[in-house]
Amino acid sequence: MSKKVVAAVSHHDREVAELRADRELAVEYLKAAMESLDDPENRAAGLLALRTVAEAYGGLGAVAAEAGISRESLYRTLSPKGNPTLKTLLAVLKAVGMKLSVAPGPHAAA
């Protein structure tokens, strides 16, 4: 009796493939993750989500080139301890076909 060998796919690789295949999912995924940028203790989640979206939409090398920064700089910027400038954040979002927007917070002044 022979066994069928099934190749394992990492969670990260599956996530990248799903985000690449479903643009609306990628937008909602990034929206949810970007909310974590408000919390200094949880900022890494938002940066890593943006990195995952960048991998899904061209790869880090291509996104870095489109954003006008080095690949190494993009890796550092979108690491758990990264601290992107507004210019870099906007450039990366533009490179993956998205943009920054603003929504009222839970305690918005009337």
Side-chain angles (χ1 to χ4, degrees):
M1 176 166 47
S2 68
K3 290 186 176 183
K4 185 176 179 180
V5 177
V6 178
V9 176
S10 75
H11 171 74
H12 178 74
D13 289 344
R14 180 172 292 262
E15 186 176 44
V16 168
E18 286 178 11
L19 294 171
R20 183 180 302 124
D22 187 341
R23 185 78 173 166
E24 287 184 32
L25 175 64
V27 169
E28 291 305 316
Y29 170 82
L30 199 51
K31 276 184 185 179
M34 295 298 270
E35 289 182 16
S36 71
L37 294 178
D38 289 335
D39 178 6
E41 297 298 317
N42 197 24
R43 194 162 285 151
L47 296 174
L48 292 175
L50 183 54
R51 182 178 181 149
T52 302
V53 169
E55 289 177 38
Y57 289 91
L60 292 176
V63 169
E66 178 75 22
I69 59 176
S70 72
R71 188 173 56 96
E72 294 78 14
S73 179
L74 185 60
Y75 273 101
R76 271 192 314 276
T77 298
L78 300 182
S79 72
K81 294 184 187 256
N83 188 16
T85 64
L86 180 59
K87 179 180 177 182
T88 298
L89 181 60
L90 293 173
V92 171
L93 287 170
K94 182 178 180 184
V96 298
M98 297 184 193
K99 65 180 183 176
L100 189 63
S101 66
V102 177
H107 301 294

